[in-house]
Amino acid sequence: MKLLRIKDNSQQKKDAFSQVARLTGKIADKTLEQLEREGVFVFPETVKDAEDITQDQMILQSVNDTYRSGNVMGFLGYGDERLVIASRFCGEGEDYFFQYLLDKVLDFPNIVDLDSDANQDNRLFNFLLFLFPYYLKAAMRKGLFKKYIRRRYNDGNVKGTIDVARHIEKNTPFVGNVAYSQREFSYDNSLMELVRHTIEFIKRKSYGNNLLIKVKDEVKLVIDATSEYELCDRQKIIEQNKKNAVRHAYFREYLALQRLCLLILRHQKHQIGTGARQIYGILFDGAWLWEEYINSLIEDVFYHPMNKGGKGAQRLFAGNVGLIYPDFISRNSEMRIIADAKYKPIDNIGNRDYLQVLAYMFRFDAKAGYYLYPEAEGSDDLKLWLNRGSTYEKNVVPHDDISITKHGLKIPVDVLNYAEFSARMKTCEQEFKSALIF
């Protein structure tokens, strides 16, 4: 197996990709939307639902004689070639930072040994399994999926369309029964059966029960709803779902769950990457992971408006004009703080970022603003005081009460294993949070 490891948001010579030339040719200068259609799984859900990545963003973009990687992390494969995209904040060793974000945000179990797991196919497949509880819970918030199905009966209580051929076959001589079919609104449909098959497949894994315990209520609902489940029907259910994708916009979470279940179950029939699905992989939006991770640390002292979820919408002007979604608004209204999560180094936080946070600060009468970013270089916080006055009048002086601070969460880079990384991160998190509480 040929394996190349690169980092997100980095630029390298095209010669460095020679060992994975075929894979590079398949993904270079293709948008995430194109790759998603070809079978690459992009998280969160689909790229059109992510705030920090766009449909036209590319994993590898040609820039003269180099390739520039985008704002995603994960794994890609084609044939015997593998590409691992690690976080730029992980240092030169194993990408414990990426694993830590997944653990904190998505509650991924620490099962895969990232030090020794050289089989990237199995590693990728485990990631798909670990995502299942998250997608199941998101879909089940809409309730059980219900749709019309056609059931066949053979009794004396005729309510639907008579099936003449089947009636002659089953009811000759006639003893009072009639063969007919009826269209019914049912929870026990092909999609819920697909979810049930995925649940039963995961249960057979050594860690399956531990993985599903987090969604035990949702699993019970699915099992209770799928009374016609038969293991031998798995391939038939897979084919039905391949032909009938969820189309209703209200059930978009079920579409994402359907895609994930198909990826998991089809792995049994042919290993990932063989057959029609030549390009495969799973990609995570680094900025989304970072923002959700920061929220898990400070949600008790900060509100967290969410654009795609339509939660916590704010307006700049009266009359519902100027829709905005600041990343974080402090709950303390007396000493209001506006904070913005940035998955970028301190030097890359610049003018457009300043203007956005200053507008939010002005809107909420906040005297303090913060940029919350990953700090792997050991740099200290940088506090910027807002100027007043004009160069024309030569009276520019800083305010003594309005400032923006670039506040980094220290990321350990010189660690021996994941356990040491986790322990040191907990210490860094306490120091990070203490600076935001007044």
Side-chain angles (χ1 to χ4, degrees), residues 204-216:
R204 297 204 306 274
K205 296 289 182 181
S206 59
Y207 49 81
N209 288 330
N210 290 334
L211 190 61
L212 294 175
I213 195 68
K214 295 176 292 187
V215 285
K216 61 181 181 179

Side-chain angles (χ1 to χ4, degrees), residues 89-234:
F89 299 102
C90 69
E92 297 304 320
E94 186 67 29
D95 193 358
Y96 298 126
F97 179 55
F98 180 29
Q99 181 181 345
Y100 191 79
L101 290 180
L102 293 174
D103 182 23
K104 290 297 182 181
V105 175
L106 301 175
D107 198 20
F108 270 33
N110 185 20
I111 296 168
V112 184
D113 185 352
L114 296 182
D115 286 327
S116 60
D117 186 12
N119 189 333
Q120 294 297 325
D121 287 347
N122 287 340
R123 188 180 186 184
L124 168 65
F125 185 58
N126 284 328
F127 271 100
L128 294 176
L129 291 179
F130 299 161
L131 279 173
F132 178 76
Y134 178 92
Y135 278 79
L136 178 62
K137 184 170 289 188
M140 293 289 282
R141 291 193 190 106
K142 296 285 178 70
L144 288 168
F145 184 79
K146 194 175 183 180
K147 75 173 186 178
Y148 282 106
I149 62 172
R150 183 164 290 279
R151 295 190 189 278
R152 301 200 303 175
Y153 297 94
N154 186 40
D155 54 40
N157 189 24
V158 182
K159 292 182 180 179
T161 305
I162 296 176
D163 188 338
V164 176
R166 189 162 58 90
H167 175 71
I168 294 173
E169 177 187 352
K170 291 184 174 296
N171 301 314
T172 303
F174 182 69
V175 292
N177 290 336
V178 176
Y180 64 96
S181 61
Q182 183 178 0
R183 196 164 177 257
E184 300 175 353
F185 213 32
S186 174
Y187 292 118
D188 196 357
N189 50 66
S190 60
L191 176 54
M192 295 309 298
E193 287 284 343
L194 180 73
V195 177
R196 173 71 182 276
H197 279 282
T198 307
I199 289 172
E200 298 300 330
F201 172 73
I202 293 175
K203 278 183 178 179
R204 297 204 306 274
K205 296 289 182 181
S206 59
Y207 49 81
N209 288 330
N210 290 334
L211 190 61
L212 294 175
I213 195 68
K214 295 176 292 187
V215 285
K216 61 181 181 179
D217 294 336
E218 289 82 357
V219 167
K220 184 178 185 303
L221 286 172
V222 173
I223 292 175
D224 291 344
T226 51
S227 57
E228 296 185 6
Y229 166 79
E230 293 288 347
L231 179 61
C232 59
D233 291 337
R234 178 168 296 174

Side-chain angles (χ1 to χ4, degrees), residues 314-316 324 326 328-330 332-339 356-369 386 401-403:
Q314 308 294 320
R315 300 284 180 172
L316 283 173
I324 57 172
F328 300 101
I329 306 169
S330 69
N332 185 346
S333 59
E334 299 299 321
M335 299 182 63
R336 187 77 78 187
I337 298 173
I338 299 297
Q356 183 184 53
V357 168
L358 284 171
Y360 295 160
M361 289 170 61
F362 185 66
R363 160 66 179 81
F364 292 99
D365 295 323
K367 300 293 185 181
L386 181 67
D401 61 344
I402 303 177
S403 65

